[in-house]
Amino acid sequence: MEIAINTEGQSPLFAQLVEQIKQRVLDKSLAPGAALPSIRQLANDLQLNNKTVAKAYQLLERDQIIQTKGYRGTFVHPDAIANCTIDLAAWVFAQLAETIETLRGAGTTDSEIRIAFADAMHNRQAKEN
Amino acid sequence: MEIAINTEGQSPLFAQLVEQIKQRVLDKSLAPGAALPSIRQLANDLQLNNKTVAKAYQLLERDQIIQTKGYRGTFVHPDAIANCTIDLAAWVFAQLAETIETLRGAGTTDSEIRIAFADAMHNRQAKEN
DNA sequence: TATTGTACCCACACTACGAATGGTACATAT
DNA sequence: ATATGTACCATTCGTAGTGTGGGTACAATA
């Protein structure tokens, strides 16, 4: 695992990690089924916090690029290569853009949309008055 | 128009103005069809900026509580009383909550949802990588 | 000419929210 | 005893959005 983390860089550490691992999967230096270093191991190698590495691993697992098998360690997902090209962000964007367009069409202020959005993210009802 | 604006208050000036006008409509001291002071007039009376009053008027007009007739001035909307009870915010909340639930159901991170939301509000495409 | 509402430009300070990271502890399974 | 992934709490920091102001200008109408 030769991974270069740029602490001075602009993008967050966990994101850099995600990107680099994706890259290694795409250029075949990480084959499907291959074992990845443990969270603590990698954190130690790269001088990162465990949580930072853990966060990267969680995102990668959600996108089906890696697979964690509990105490047995973490492995590259069988369909990792294909799943590297799926763009979840684009779909999320489309969904939200559509809803926002509807709301704006109803004359809602951007400010009101943002407030309601924040409330909805917090699972709290919109308050009256 | 006896309106009391609390500059020290916590809620924004334009919001106070909106609420007080709604209140006067509900308690019948502002009857449908009645004329409201002009923006500049009211701004001067209350020692507010024109833009602040204009903002309040715009919100009230969108909610069909007042009606601006161009150069002729602004009047209380015929259906003002009924429209005071309509809660646009609740509808906006419901729309967004539904979309968010869909996204979360797909495993999307709250952080990713927020980023996509910000992008969508700015009408800018979600960027790759 | 004076008035109406409206629409731009710009700016400035404040606040609050989330992002990112760190530290510690846990259940599980060998 | 040791290793795995994971969850919870705390803290710092940056930034985006908000509210408000100032100014100027416009078309429409009396």
Side-chain angles (χ1 to χ4, degrees), chain B residues 96-108:
Chain B
L96 283 168
E98 183 181 331
T99 300
I100 290 172
E101 193 176 3
T102 301
L103 298 179
R104 278 183 176 153
T108 314

Side-chain angles (χ1 to χ4, degrees), chain A residues 62-83:
Chain A
R62 183 204 55 184
D63 295 343
Q64 316 262 353
I65 291 170
I66 67 176
Q67 237 175 353
T68 98
K69 303 197 174 181
Y71 60 94
R72 254 169 285 182
T74 306
F75 303 89
V76 179
H77 190 96
D79 304 326
I81 299 175
N83 293 336

Side-chain angles (χ1 to χ4, degrees), chain B residues 44-105:
Chain B
N44 193 47
D45 289 356
L46 303 177
Q47 295 293 327
L48 296 178
N49 189 290
N50 290 344
K51 296 206 48 154
T52 304
V53 180
K55 189 173 186 177
Y57 273 31
Q58 279 176 347
L59 287 174
L60 288 167
E61 188 181 27
R62 183 203 54 185
D63 295 343
Q64 314 262 357
I65 292 170
I66 67 177
Q67 236 175 353
T68 96
K69 303 196 173 180
Y71 62 94
R72 256 169 283 182
T74 306
F75 304 88
V76 179
H77 190 95
D79 303 326
I81 300 175
N83 292 336
C84 272
T85 67
I86 296 178
D87 191 1
L88 180 61
W91 176 74
V92 175
F93 174 84
Q95 296 290 313
L96 283 168
E98 183 181 331
T99 300
I100 290 172
E101 193 176 3
T102 301
L103 298 179
R104 278 183 176 153

